[in-house]
Amino acid sequence: MNDIRPIILVPTYNEALNIKTFLHEVFKFVPDINVLLIDDNSPDGTADIVHNMCDKRIYILKRTKKSGLASAYIDGFKYAKNLGFNQFVEMDADFSHKPEYLPVMLENLKKYDFVIGSRNIKGGGVSDWSFIRNMISKLGSLYSNIILFCPIRDLTGGFNGWNLKVLDEIGLDNIISKGYSFQIELKYRAYKKKFKYIEFPIIFPDRKLGESKMSGDIFLEAMKNVVKIKMSV
């Protein structure tokens, strides 16, 4: 791809305890990268902390309310595309996605249409998770694989990279997911379009600071949406 312009998209809600350290770590491993923070009006002042860093590599898209993961990423993709970026990395700010993996992600994006940081292939996994949480996650991915008849091993994971042509071909306005099933849907639609992808292994640790946004109800709702995704594609 000529004139590659990558950017990291980071949806945030109440990540004041993590965000500054997270950004410093990102720039340690990829100093020239740009970052787009998509903040859902965090009451803890997450966006203000980033604004006060006065770093020209960072963009902030402030939304008026908490409107869900899917809409945050879709708004972020569109905003970044309008700024002229053509490669996009989805990433959480709580260190569950380690910044040290970014060079591998970006190198793979030069060769593949989309890239998945995978917990479910050899060399990947989780750390500091309870047995129950780990089993729920693995069963969720297995269930999605079976229903969608899709070979991607980590359909539910959120550390992913996309080239612009994939998002354009999928059509972001065609996405039906509102929450965490967004990650499943985006990968499934890209797979059905026969885009070339790779999964590389990552270790996914539990967050150390702040509160997790994932709950059992949210996860079950995502699993219910898998059938809707299959019917829509």
Side-chain angles (χ1 to χ4, degrees), residues 207-218:
R207 69 158 59 229
K208 302 299 182 185
L209 297 172
E211 296 181 359
S212 174
K213 282 73 174 178
M214 176 61 79
S215 69
D217 289 343
I218 290 173

Side-chain angles (χ1 to χ4, degrees), residues 115-168:
V115 180
I116 300 163
S118 179
R119 302 162 293 179
N120 297 336
I121 62 173
K122 185 177 180 180
V126 299
S127 65
D128 302 321
W129 280 30
S130 69
F131 175 79
I132 295 297
R133 183 183 177 190
N134 193 21
M135 286 304 298
I136 289 173
S137 176
K138 288 186 178 299
L139 288 173
S141 282
L142 178 60
Y143 170 78
S144 300
N145 290 136
I146 292 171
I147 296 298
L148 299 175
F149 200 64
C150 177
I152 295 173
R153 297 291 298 277
D154 197 341
L155 278 167
T156 60
F159 183 45
N160 309 300
W162 305 92
N163 277 298
L164 177 60
K165 64 179 181 180
V166 182
L167 302 181
D168 281 347

Side-chain angles (χ1 to χ4, degrees), residues 3-61:
D3 192 23
I4 295 173
R5 295 197 67 205
I7 190 168
I8 301 169
L9 275 61
V10 186
T12 56
Y13 184 76
N14 286 349
E15 291 291 355
L17 296 176
N18 291 306
I19 194 62
K20 194 170 184 178
T21 305
F22 167 78
L23 289 168
H24 283 313
E25 282 292 297
V26 165
F27 294 133
K28 181 174 82 172
F29 288 101
V30 277
D32 297 327
I33 199 71
N34 289 100
V35 177
L36 171 61
L37 191 82
I38 307 124
D39 188 73
D40 279 0
N41 198 26
S42 297
D44 70 351
T46 300
D48 294 332
I49 292 170
V50 177
H51 179 76
N52 290 335
M53 291 174 69
C54 299
D55 193 317
K56 293 182 179 179
R57 295 169 293 184
I58 304 172
Y59 298 86
I60 304 175
L61 174 57

Side-chain angles (χ1 to χ4, degrees), residues 197-221:
Y197 72 91
I198 188 173
E199 295 184 72
F200 73 93
I202 65 168
I203 299 298
F204 186 107
D206 199 6
R207 69 158 59 229
K208 302 299 182 185
L209 297 172
E211 296 181 359
S212 174
K213 282 73 174 178
M214 176 61 79
S215 69
D217 289 343
I218 290 173
F219 190 82
L220 288 173
E221 184 63 29

